[in-house]
């Protein structure tokens, strides 16, 4: 008997943690021929989906697939995502979650369009939101040694590192 991957269990655990704490769970997905999502929202072969209870209907997170119905531009769509295509799950409010490496089989659909040197799957990691960059003119005119305190708020960012 083939052993089931831990990935679907981790996805369900992070989803439950998000909902228990009042956060909005989002998943980042690599889109290929097996993925059913509205293609007009796909950017660079990836899509980020809100999978909260309020945004979905009939969400089922199984060991092989995640499927649900959701509205895009007011039109209800059936969504199907192979678990192996999920590259991250995180809370929108604070960016906490988990990133996964895309399996080699996921990138095969798009491999003919990508040169061999770039065909390796991207690795995502969560990085802290940095302080907004100061303009060179502003920093040059400031003579005092006290740095400006970091600004609070803003949206967390999940950065893709190649």
């Amino acid at each position: 008997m083939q052993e089931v991957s831990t990935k679907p269990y981790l996805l369900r655990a992070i989803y439950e943690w998000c909902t228990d704490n009042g956060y909005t769970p989002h998943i980042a997905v690599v889109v290929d021929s097996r993925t059913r999502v509205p293609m007009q929202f796909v950017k660079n072969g990836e899509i980020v989906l809100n999978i909260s209870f309020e945004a979905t209907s009939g969400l089922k997170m199984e060991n092989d697939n995640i499927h649900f119905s959701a509205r895009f531009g007011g039109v209800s769509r059936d969504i199907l995502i192979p678990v192996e295509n999920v590259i991250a799950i995180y809370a929108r409010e604070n960016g906490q979650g988990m990133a996964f490496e895309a399996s080699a089989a996921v990138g095969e659909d798009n491999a003919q369009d990508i040169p061999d040197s770039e065909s390796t799957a991207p690795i995502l990691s969560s990085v802290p939101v940095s302080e907004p960059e100061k303009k060179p003119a502003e920093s040059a005119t400031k003579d005092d040694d006290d740095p400006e305190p970091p600004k609070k708020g803003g949206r967390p960012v999940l950065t893709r590192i190649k």
Side-chain angles (χ1 to χ4, degrees), residues 8 12 16-17 26 48 50 52 58-59 66 68-69 72 76 79 82 84 87 89 93 107 133 147 155 157-158:
R12 289 189 290 264
E16 188 173 329
W17 173 82
H26 280 62
V48 175
N50 176 349
S52 68
L59 175 66
I66 298 172
F68 56 91
S69 294
F72 293 85
S76 182
I79 307 299
E84 63 189 31
I87 54 175
I89 181 167
E93 290 80 2
E133 293 183 22
R155 288 182 77 164
V157 178
L158 184 67

Side-chain angles (χ1 to χ4, degrees), residues 24-46:
T24 309
H26 280 62
I27 56 174
V29 179
V30 173
V31 177
D32 64 12
S33 61
R34 299 170 301 140
T35 311
R36 283 196 331 238
V37 295
M39 295 307 287
Q40 65 266 33
F41 297 101
V42 174
K43 290 191 173 110
N44 298 324
E46 297 177 2

Side-chain angles (χ1 to χ4, degrees), residues 6 8 11 25 34 44 51-52 66-67 75 78 81 83 85 89-90 118 120 128 137 139 143 148 152 155 158 162:
T6 57
L11 290 171
R34 299 170 301 140
N44 298 324
I51 58 169
S52 68
I66 298 172
H67 50 94
V75 178
D78 289 327
I81 299 154
V83 167
N85 287 41
I89 181 167
Y90 61 96
E118 298 177 18
T120 58
S139 60
D143 290 332
E148 191 175 311
K152 304 282 183 185
R155 288 182 77 164
L158 184 67
K162 290 187 178 183

